Amino acid sequence: MRGINGCGIGLRRDFIEEFTQTQERPDWIEITPENWFYTPHRYNEYFEPIIREYSVVAHGVSLSIGSPEPVDKSFLKKMKAFLDRYKIEHYSEHVSFSTLYGKQTYELLPLPMTQSMVRHLCAKINQVQDALERPLILENASYYISPYSEMREVDFLCEVLEQSNTRLLLDVNNVYVNSINHRFDADAYIAHIPAKRVAYMHIAGHCEYPEEELLLDTHGEEICGKVWDLLERTLKTHSAPVMIERDNNIPKLDVLMQEFRTLKRIVGGA
Amino acid sequence: MKIETTAMERFIEIIAGDETLINPLHNRYQVYRDMVYHRFYETITNIYPILSCRLGEQLPILIREFQSHGATSILMSDMACEFGEFIKQHPIGKTLPYLEDTVWLEWSEMVLLLEKFEENKSVFKWEGRYKLSSSARLRQLSYPIYRGDFESIGEYPLLLFYDFDEEKVYFKEISSLGYDLLIFLENHNIQETLKQISKHYGVNEKNLKEPLEELLNQWCEKKILIKEV
């Protein structure tokens, strides 16, 4: 990915002011574009210089690529205007759906994993790429139930990547969470993904619901040892930029930067 | 895609609806149901803290009702606007009549925090036309909710404005004279407005000019009022 190398973090409003003052700098940043479509004035003075100074990936949450209906053209127009305005070349989204016939849930919902869905996704990916005039990078999402499936998740994902000729945002935490919730081998899953298809990676925290024997992909906790270990093993076969994604329960930047140092050590040692 | 679409329809029906789930504590549909509800709850309570507090135990019920009614805005902040409209139309407004004012106040504050404005500062003179800046909102409320009073029905003109120096939204309770002045300015130039106000209040123009000028200067200074070019 042009301009995206090494280790990054997700820029959040919660620490944007601290971010402009810190000496320790990530190599690149990721932003959620929908959160910056309307930027409160007090954040703009920080956001604008940061976004122009750093290499940036825009990681969307509202595309709903798997919905049966066409992607909302006005949304794509707004997204393109945002990406163009800040000269952001890289745009990623989730393999999921969040809306059905215009009714929004604002949550990343699981798709039926079928050949028919693969074809549907490929057609929509083309529409999105044409409208945005940029490649779309796809993320493996976490899921707790599958509405209807005739394929393994990893096969479904690889089919989509191959048929649409797109690259993957490999979320290592999501692989881990899904591997526990759906009882598969996380290492085998990652080994199945062609290294050349991986554009960049996410690493994040999750929480446990022991009474339900379930891990929840919350992005609101520290990254656990098992996920760090999985990342370490992944980097041995899949070399790609990695970033820390923290969306909830966001700590002070110096706390997050402690995790960032761990990430740098792991990536540096890979 | 027929089977897939049906499966997705059913999935949404389960998580957005209120049908009883088998063994809900160990049902993963319940996880999604909770997650979707949480998205709505978090956004709505962030944008409407006063409204949420006043609705109390009614809030979760209304959010679930709103969810099954269906939010259509792609962005969550816009969904909160839809929720405000839903509340304004809802029969609960008959028992809690201050809700409409509350929705207006909290949503306007949100819009003023997010909208991009031209920072135009005008120097006031008794000539030309002046208008309320896009960084300000004016409304005559029926309840002084900004004082925490949800009982005293009446007429309470309120000016809400973005303070560019402090980067915050402030509200200012204004007099009926101030309110009428801003309303007249919508359709008249400043000289005509002075005449109209003078006639309306039965006060000599000369005696009105000084206090009005002080007010108009303050508003121009705060970029609440801008000169039309």
Side-chain angles (χ1 to χ4, degrees), chain A:
Chain A
M1 284 170 81
R2 198 163 63 188
I4 308 294
N5 296 296
C7 303
I9 65 166
L11 181 70
R12 304 291 178 253
R13 282 182 191 165
D14 308 65
F15 56 69
I16 193 167
E17 190 177 349
E18 288 172 83
F19 190 82
T20 58
Q21 294 154 2
T22 185
Q23 298 294 314
E24 201 173 6
R25 294 161 57 96
D27 301 315
W28 53 283
I29 57 169
E30 188 193 75
I31 58 161
T32 303
E34 290 90 337
N35 290 349
W36 301 98
F37 278 179
Y38 307 113
T39 311
H41 307 276
R42 68 175 186 276
Y43 296 119
N44 245 335
E45 63 183 287
Y46 304 116
F47 180 70
E48 299 269 347
I50 292 170
I51 206 90
R52 295 192 195 286
E53 188 183 341
Y54 278 85
S55 295
V56 179
V57 178
H59 180 50
V61 290
S62 311
L63 185 63
S64 193
I65 189 88
S67 295
E69 66 263 40
V71 177
D72 188 306
K73 281 188 183 158
S74 64
F75 172 74
L76 285 179
K77 204 173 161 189
K78 201 178 269 189
M79 182 61 78
K80 184 174 186 302
F82 180 88
L83 299 174
D84 287 350
R85 181 179 173 196
Y86 293 111
K87 298 183 173 59
I88 301 171
E89 191 179 330
H90 310 292
Y91 172 63
S92 59
E93 253 287 357
H94 305 82
V95 179
S96 66
F97 80 111
S98 55
T99 177
L100 194 68
Y101 312 131
K103 195 170 166 177
Q104 300 285 341
T105 66
Y106 309 104
E107 192 50 71
L108 302 169
L109 305 177
L111 292 173
M113 292 183 270
T114 66
Q115 286 292 349
S116 179
M117 181 56 79
V118 170
R119 288 191 293 277
H120 174 68
L121 284 173
C122 290
K124 287 188 76 175
I125 289 164
N126 280 336
Q127 287 169 17
V128 171
Q129 294 185 144
D130 286 350
L132 297 181
E133 295 175 10
R134 304 167 159 74
L136 173 64
I137 299 166
L138 295 169
E139 180 184 354
N140 58 303
S142 55
Y143 64 103
Y144 309 104
I145 197 168
S146 175
Y148 174 78
S149 288
E150 53 192 36
M151 300 167 80
R152 290 190 308 168
E153 184 207 343
V154 69
D155 295 329
F156 174 71
L157 193 64
C158 288
E159 280 280 320
V160 174
L161 297 174
E162 283 304 315
Q163 287 191 31
S164 62
N165 194 24
T166 45
R167 298 184 78 198
L168 177 68
L169 157 52
L170 175 61
D171 191 313
V172 174
N173 178 60
N174 288 352
V175 174
Y176 179 77
V177 165
N178 289 343
S179 76
I180 300 297
N181 292 340
H182 304 287
R183 298 175 190 194
F184 63 76
D185 181 342
D187 291 276
Y189 179 108
I190 287 168
H192 202 80
I193 294 168
K196 64 172 186 183
R197 286 274 169 216
V198 180
Y200 72 105
M201 298 187 213
H202 271 172
I203 185 157
H206 59 258
C207 75
E208 292 180 34
Y209 271 73
E211 67 272 23
E212 299 198 30
E213 297 175 342
L214 193 70
L215 297 185
L216 277 186
D217 171 33
T218 52
H219 300 175
E221 284 76 21
E222 284 180 16
I223 299 156
C224 78
K226 286 179 178 170
V227 173
W228 284 123
D229 292 346
L230 182 60
L231 174 69
E232 210 163 351
R233 296 196 298 278
T234 302
L235 285 167
K236 290 196 169 91
T237 53
H238 295 68
S239 175
V242 192
M243 61 147 288
I244 295 175
E245 189 186 34
R246 184 79 179 242
D247 294 317
N248 296 302
N249 194 21
I250 295 171
K252 289 251 177 210
L253 185 61
D254 57 349
V255 176
L256 197 63
M257 290 314 271
Q258 286 170 19
E259 282 200 315
F260 182 73
R261 269 171 240 134
T262 307
L263 175 64
K264 283 216 76 119
R265 185 174 49 75
I266 290 172
V267 170

Side-chain angles (χ1 to χ4, degrees), chain B residues 48-59 62 84 87-107 139-154 156 158:
Chain B
Y48 298 111
I50 304 171
L51 181 79
S52 303
C53 184
R54 298 303 299 181
L55 288 171
E57 289 176 357
Q58 285 291 308
L59 181 67
L62 287 165
I87 289 293
K88 283 199 260 177
Q89 308 295 326
H90 197 277
I92 196 166
K94 288 198 171 64
T95 46
L96 304 173
Y98 54 78
L99 290 184
E100 191 170 338
D101 283 349
T102 313
V103 167
W104 177 84
L105 181 66
E106 296 197 296
W107 180 250
R139 185 166 161 123
Q140 184 138 270
L141 302 182
S142 302
Y143 293 88
I145 52 166
Y146 46 88
R147 288 190 221 140
D149 181 348
F150 298 87
E151 304 288 334
S152 313
I153 191 164
Y156 303 94
L158 194 75

